[in-house]
Amino acid sequence: MTTNGVAGLTTGGAKRGTDADAERNEPGKEAETVRGTAGQPGAVGRDVVTGTVVFDALGGPEVLSVRQLPLRTPAAGEVLVRVEALGVNRAEALFRSGGYYYLPTLPGSRLGYEAAGVVEAVGEEVTRFRAGDAVLTGPGIEMSAQGVYAERVVLPEDSVVRRPAGVDAVAGAASWLAYSTAYGGLLETGGLRPGDVVLITAASSGVGIAALQTAARIGAVPVAVTRTVRKREALFTAGAAHIVVTGEEDTVASVKALTGGLGADLLFDAVGGAGLAGLATALRVDGTVVVYGWLDGTSSVMPMNWPLTVRGYANQALSGSAPGRRRIDAWLASGLRDGTLRPVIAEEFEGLASMPDAHRRLEENRHTGKLVVRLS
């Protein structure tokens, strides 16, 4: 285990283009085909189409393709968003391959729920947005029907949140899901407090880095768990106070040594599976486990080192309510504004046609931070 004296934050990373321009479908019609003024309902021409990523069968990244789909007029309570950047998330890869908690509707399923963009038009009864507003997507999106991997997308008003001032599209596309999950899982569900030691698995993921920064922001002690020493320095830079490399040391023994034999207060786990029971023994008596993912792919084994609280966190339970979205938005905006929350961009890809490459990179598990696809 290694310890960080001062945990800095970082953005930046590699930028990846694609030489597949010749294979791209023609982009959707330009903004002038969308009629709408600030605060007024918008209409879309009958023949307008928009480039959209779809898939017809479960499988690897190769099942993804770009098609031109009709772009309908926003109905009452809906918002039309021109997408500028897309966050690529583990849940989307699971959905594409059939491993998510609900299955896609095939053929012709859409994909994706995290985008940054600009409102182009609104339907009747929309009160919180108007044309020209910079926004993020995320809450309550059913990916088969509403997936946001597209040049333009029509969504319910409640699935759109205002992008914090001063945040560009790439940072925005890397922010909402990661920081809402970290906030909801650690603070609202896990009850993390200043001085608490929190063990964070899958620490190099977008949510993992958001959890490191969220814990540090409130004065807790974030301990990153990673499988390889190669990611150590990047995790220190991202905000970890201590790092446990599972390939080199005994995780439970290292955490016990760090805490004077007491154990960590909270385990924030994205992996689950048979290893959960053993990892939970790194907690103190009456500690808390918050499981928010199942990357292991097998059934989790219930920890038996009681007394212990085990909670499963579903982001929709918090973001699906107006009060929950208000708290998430306040946390995210204030953290981005004061610099304590800064998304780490591992790599940028260009255009919808690069989405299979982005998914391949995601599944290599070699990156630290968030993968983002820019639409220009």
Side-chain angles (χ1 to χ4, degrees), residues 272-290:
L276 179 63
L279 190 58
T281 62
L283 295 178
R284 64 169 172 79
V285 175
D286 207 20
T288 300
V289 177
V290 175

Side-chain angles (χ1 to χ4, degrees), residues 30-285:
E30 297 301 323
E32 57 264 24
T33 65
V34 180
R35 299 187 299 276
T37 57
Q40 298 298 321
V44 179
R46 289 177 298 175
D47 298 325
V48 175
V49 294
T50 189
T52 307
V53 174
V54 298
F55 60 105
D56 295 326
L58 301 177
E62 70 279 357
V63 302
L64 302 177
S65 64
V66 181
R67 295 179 192 163
Q68 297 295 327
L69 299 183
L71 182 65
R72 62 180 178 81
T73 301
E78 292 184 327
V79 176
L80 169 63
V81 177
R82 174 174 55 81
V83 176
E84 296 178 309
L86 294 160
V88 181
N89 297 292
R90 185 71 56 178
E92 294 154 359
L94 291 171
F95 188 68
R96 184 208 71 225
S97 60
Y100 203 47
Y101 74 90
Y102 67 93
L103 291 174
T105 301
L106 299 171
S109 176
R110 301 172 68 115
L111 186 60
Y113 54 83
E114 188 170 30
V118 176
V119 173
E120 287 198 331
V122 300
E124 296 180 358
E125 302 176 10
V126 172
T127 59
R128 294 188 293 113
F129 301 103
R130 58 178 58 194
D133 285 347
V135 294
L136 307 174
T137 69
I141 290 175
E142 197 286 310
M143 286 192 282
S144 264
Q146 301 171 316
V148 300
Y149 284 6
E151 295 167 337
R152 289 183 173 86
V153 63
V154 175
L155 293 170
E157 181 180 16
D158 286 345
S159 293
V160 178
V161 299
R162 197 170 298 278
R163 193 193 314 173
V167 176
D168 66 22
V170 170
S175 296
W176 189 87
L177 174 72
Y179 289 106
S180 63
T181 302
Y183 165 78
L186 289 176
L187 304 189
E188 298 226 359
T189 300
L192 189 68
R193 299 167 297 184
D196 284 353
V197 176
V198 55
L199 195 60
I200 299 168
T201 63
S204 62
S205 69
V207 174
I209 287 174
L212 296 175
Q213 296 175 4
T214 294
R217 190 180 189 213
I218 69 160
V221 182
V223 180
V225 178
T226 184
R227 293 180 297 177
T228 171
V229 68
R230 182 174 53 82
K231 296 182 177 181
R232 177 185 283 143
E233 291 307 315
L235 289 170
F236 276 144
T237 303
H242 309 278
I243 295 175
V244 176
V245 180
T246 58
E248 296 187 349
E249 56 193 305
D250 182 289
T251 301
V252 174
S254 294
V255 173
K256 292 287 188 178
L258 169 67
T259 58
L262 297 176
D265 300 280
L266 176 66
L267 167 61
F268 190 55
D269 183 55
V271 181
L276 179 63
L279 190 58
T281 62
L283 295 178
R284 64 169 172 79
V285 175

Side-chain angles (χ1 to χ4, degrees), residues 289-322:
V289 177
V290 175
V291 181
Y292 73 93
W294 54 92
L295 294 178
D296 180 88
T298 63
S299 297
S300 295
V301 176
M302 180 69 177
M304 300 296 289
N305 51 314
W306 300 347
L308 182 76
T309 300
V310 180
R311 304 284 300 273
Y313 177 73
N315 207 35
Q316 176 59 22
L318 179 63
S319 64
S321 71

